[in-house]
Amino acid sequence: MNVLYNPLTLPNSARRRWRAFYSQTRAELTMTLRRGESLILTLGIPIAILAFFSTVKVLPTGKESPITFLTPGVLALAIMSTSMVSLGISTGFERSNGVLKRLGTTPLGRSTLLAAKIQSILVIELLQVVLLSVIGLALGWHLRTGGGIVIGILIALLATTAFSGIGLALAGLLTAETNLAAVNGIYLVLLLLGGMVIPLSSLPSGLRIFSELLPAAALSQGLHYALGTASAVPLHDWIVLGIWALLAPAVAAVSFKFE
Amino acid sequence: MYAVELADLHITYGKKIAVSGVSFNADFGTTVAILGPNGAGKTSTIETLEGYRKPSKGRVRVLGLDPIKDHSSLVKYIGVMLQSGGIYTSMTPREAVHLFASYYDDHLDPVTLLETVALERVASTPWRKLSGGERQRLSLALALVGKPRVVFLDEPTAGVDPEGRIAIRQVISTLVNEGACVILTTHELEEAEKLAHKVIIINEGRKVAEGSPWELRERTTLRDKGIRIQVKGNLDAEIASAQLEVQVEKIGDDSYFIYTESSPDFILSLARWLAQHNITLYSLGSGPASLEEVYINLTESAPQTPNLGHREDITGVSDERTL
């Protein structure tokens, strides 16, 4: 075999992998920010909900002020929007448009592509959290500083893993159009049942028990405890999030197809 | 070492046999065109070479590597152009070429590459606003940016305007002259005739012919002596046969084959007869069959069994050896 034409004799280049990772992350971020519908979903709707329901007193938050309840809930909504809806829909269309198929024949590699997608999600989530927190604080939210922030970050990372898994699993199982409808439908259900805008205590008991098994409720309750009340996050929420964070990516890994 | 080696490839989807026993090799510095009707197995074959599909049976090697087991090593040295799509819809050609260049240790200069495929004018236009030809040229550029040694092009000129076709042909020729191996699938017989050093014709999952375009035409003994004409008008082959006293056979929409020597006297009488019947003569020629005739003959009446019968005469080679 001609040495010049034997790829196995050539060394791998870590520098190239970093360059590819950086470029792919930048591309993922750019493509996300160019999608108007994605911006509406990830920023527009959470900001609108935060601003509207904190000033129009219609939510059954009891003694708690609406902004104290809403801010952690809207942060949870933003995280869900980015890691499940935005990622799932964009990945579904990338699969259907052959983008993933083509990337599969380049040296980018699945792991680098996945890392770049995760990195871009985390960057967008960071932007969302900063922006929504600033708006929340401006509207009267009191952030409990200290260990609660670290717990909140852990909860957010666990939820990002779970929702990314759900988004990628649906993108792998369904056609782009069906996936679009399914993810939006799930988003709406989780928005209503996830304790993000409507307190779980307002739901009928049967529905509440079901909701408490969903990652959306565990995320919103976790953030509520960590950032709003600075009390310990119930073990139940950690377990629910942990199970979803394990199962959903596993299903995605099995079901996901690049074409 | 061949750039591409394919031996006894079988691909099945459930109970459906997509490819059955296809074999061929391809050298560096050559273009191989895979021809065949829709559903013949062309894309399945090329996608197996690219590592997308696992063959049910057979040996597949690209640059001496197994496309599936050695995929991560192989992808640094191959370029792939899909039949359509494959690019972020809001990405511009400039962004796409720079992004893909970042995947490779050694790559072409993105600016020069955009000039080569004549896309510098639309370098800042999002993909979704590009014309069909511009999309194809961008797709080709992305296949070439990593300086590949083997390039797979699935219908590279489909939907491309004449200028775009010329640009794509020039790029492919340059690539081959520099030593790369190009494997392309196409429906365009003219494209295959102009570009390919070797043509593989696949029908119903089986290879029915292999050789250079000229060899395939030469070996086709179906109509080795006669005149081919293309006309506009209502030409009835039976009436023409009776009145011209030669056998006239319809071989295409407007094309006919006349089984006779191409003597000046006959051509004169043919021209008179056509004029009398108000039929316009577009072209007239003699010599070996066109690649189109070879293709139509092979793909319209291919056998259903592994025994290829007279087609062995056409390939002139066993499945294990190239021409």
Side-chain angles (χ1 to χ4, degrees):
Chain A
M1 183 184 284
N2 185 338
V3 171
L4 278 176
Y5 283 119
N6 182 0
L8 295 177
T9 62
L10 298 173
N12 282 331
S13 165
R15 207 173 120 198
R16 192 242 331 140
R17 282 204 296 274
W18 273 109
R19 196 178 58 224
F21 169 66
Y22 170 76
S23 301
Q24 188 63 33
T25 303
R26 199 174 60 175
E28 297 280 344
L29 276 171
T30 309
M31 296 305 111
T32 303
L33 295 175
R34 278 184 192 162
R35 284 195 299 270
E37 69 280 9
S38 175
L39 286 179
I40 290 172
L41 189 82
T42 53
L43 284 174
I45 292 175
I47 290 172
I49 287 176
L50 187 62
F52 182 81
F53 287 110
S54 62
T55 48
V56 181
K57 317 280 187 206
V58 291
L59 292 180
T61 56
K63 292 177 184 173
E64 202 173 33
S65 73
I67 193 69
T68 303
F69 166 76
L70 267 175
T71 308
V74 166
L75 287 175
L77 175 67
I79 288 166
M80 182 177 80
S81 306
T82 299
S83 55
M84 183 181 76
V85 186
S86 182
L87 174 69
I89 291 173
S90 63
T91 306
F93 277 101
E94 282 167 17
R95 188 164 71 93
S96 117
N97 291 339
V99 174
L100 299 181
K101 185 177 180 182
R102 181 188 275 277
L103 292 179
T105 56
T106 69
L108 177 67
R110 286 183 185 207
S111 55
T112 311
L113 174 64
L114 194 61
K117 282 187 177 294
I118 291 168
Q119 175 88 338
S120 68
I121 287 169
L122 293 176
V123 170
I124 291 169
E125 285 183 358
L126 182 65
L127 289 172
Q128 288 175 303
V129 167
V130 169
L131 188 62
L132 291 168
S133 297
V134 168
I135 293 172
L137 290 169
L139 291 169
W141 180 50
H142 297 290
L143 172 65
R144 311 288 177 186
T145 53
I149 292 178
V150 178
I151 299 295
I153 291 170
L154 287 176
I155 291 276
L157 288 175
L158 212 51
T160 299
T161 309
F163 284 120
S164 301
I166 294 170
L168 291 174
L170 290 171
L173 287 166
L174 307 173
T175 62
E177 292 75 15
T178 312
N179 178 49
L180 175 69
V183 171
N184 280 321
I186 293 170
Y187 169 82
L188 193 61
V189 170
L190 294 182
L191 169 66
L192 296 174
L193 299 185
M196 294 169 174
V197 179
I198 300 167
L200 289 179
S201 55
S202 302
L203 299 177
S205 61
L207 198 56
R208 180 179 175 171
I209 291 167
F210 169 71
S211 297
E212 284 174 345
L213 298 174
L214 300 173
L219 169 62
S220 68
Q221 295 309 292
L223 290 182
H224 186 71
Y225 282 111
L227 304 178
T229 66
S231 53
V233 176
L235 184 61
H236 169 269
D237 293 329
W238 285 110
I239 292 172
V240 169
L241 269 184
I243 290 172
W244 279 98
L246 279 174
L247 285 182
V251 173
V254 172
S255 67
F256 193 79
K257 295 184 289 290
F258 267 54
E259 58 166 317
Chain B
M1 182 181 74
Y2 288 109
V4 169
E5 299 171 71
L6 202 60
D8 197 28
L9 176 70
H10 288 71
I11 304 168
T12 54
Y13 303 120
K15 288 181 181 174
K16 186 180 182 302
I17 298 169
V19 176
S20 178
V22 169
S23 303
F24 68 84
N25 297 327
D27 285 311
F28 290 102
T30 64
T31 301
V32 174
I34 304 176
L35 302 180
N38 288 331
K42 304 187 299 290
T43 298
S44 292
T45 301
I46 209 166
E47 286 187 347
T48 305
L49 292 168
E50 292 162 356
Y52 285 127
R53 306 205 178 282
K54 192 176 179 184
S56 313
K57 187 183 156 194
R59 178 184 154 85
V60 184
R61 292 290 181 272
V62 178
L63 295 168
L65 301 173
D66 184 315
I68 291 179
K69 286 181 186 162
D70 304 317
H71 192 69
S72 58
S73 300
L74 182 61
V75 288
K76 296 172 194 166
Y77 304 97
I78 63 169
V80 173
M81 179 180 178
L82 304 179
Q83 224 172 73
S84 62
I87 299 164
Y88 297 96
T89 54
S90 61
M91 193 170 262
T92 68
R94 182 179 290 114
E95 290 170 335
V97 174
H98 275 94
L99 175 65
F100 276 63
S102 76
Y103 301 156
Y104 297 88
D105 288 321
D106 187 20
H107 57 78
L108 296 174
D109 173 45
V111 176
T112 310
L113 183 56
L114 285 172
E115 286 170 7
T116 305
V117 295
L119 283 178
E120 66 273 35
R121 194 177 51 79
V122 292
S124 301
T125 306
W127 180 87
R128 63 172 173 270
K129 292 184 179 173
L130 297 177
S131 70
E134 288 162 348
R135 289 177 180 183
Q136 289 292 86
R137 277 181 276 150
L138 175 57
S139 191
L140 179 63
L142 298 183
L144 304 185
V145 71
K147 297 185 178 176
R149 277 133 199 194
V150 179
V151 186
F152 299 101
L153 309 174
D154 206 352
E155 309 272 356
T157 54
V160 180
D161 57 34
E163 282 182 8
R165 280 171 189 240
I166 292 168
I168 288 174
R169 269 186 224 135
Q170 282 173 346
V171 171
I172 294 173
S173 296
T174 305
L175 195 66
V176 170
N177 289 339
E178 288 171 356
C181 170
V182 174
I183 309 283
L184 62 91
T185 68
T186 183
H187 286 298
E188 310 280 345
L189 298 172
E190 188 192 350
E191 208 66 48
E193 199 144 20
K194 284 183 176 160
L195 279 173
H197 297 88
K198 181 156 74 175
V199 170
I200 311 283
I201 300 180
I202 296 180
N203 192 33
E204 295 178 357
R206 296 176 190 281
K207 183 177 79 177
V208 292
E210 175 177 351
S212 72
W214 177 250
E215 284 167 329
L216 291 184
R217 292 168 60 189
E218 281 287 282
R219 285 195 197 126
T220 302
T221 55
L222 301 167
R223 304 182 190 93
D224 59 347
K225 193 173 75 170
I227 301 168
R228 288 171 182 76
I229 60 169
Q230 194 179 13
V231 299
K232 184 184 178 187
N234 189 20
L235 195 159
D236 186 313
E238 278 188 31
I239 294 171
S241 296
Q243 294 185 357
L244 290 167
E245 297 177 343
V246 290
Q247 188 190 341
V248 178
E249 183 188 348
K250 185 166 183 164
I251 56 173
D253 285 345
D254 304 314
S255 304
Y256 298 83
F257 191 87
I258 305 170
Y259 290 83
T260 186
E261 294 281 356
S262 56
S263 67
D265 285 347
F266 178 78
I267 290 170
L268 193 60
S269 58
L270 172 66
R272 280 198 194 116
W273 187 87
L274 290 171
Q276 284 166 7
H277 291 80
N278 205 22
I279 297 168
T280 308
L281 180 64
Y282 274 136
S283 69
L284 181 147
S286 63
S290 68
L291 189 58
E292 184 178 5
E293 279 181 79
V294 175
Y295 173 83
I296 289 171
N297 177 262
L298 290 171
T299 55
E300 281 189 346
S301 57
Q304 303 298 312
T305 63
N307 180 2
L308 297 181
H310 73 280
R311 277 159 191 86
E312 285 171 355
D313 294 332
I314 292 170
T315 61
V317 289
S318 74
D319 281 352
E320 302 302 323
R321 189 81 186 99
T322 52
L323 289 164

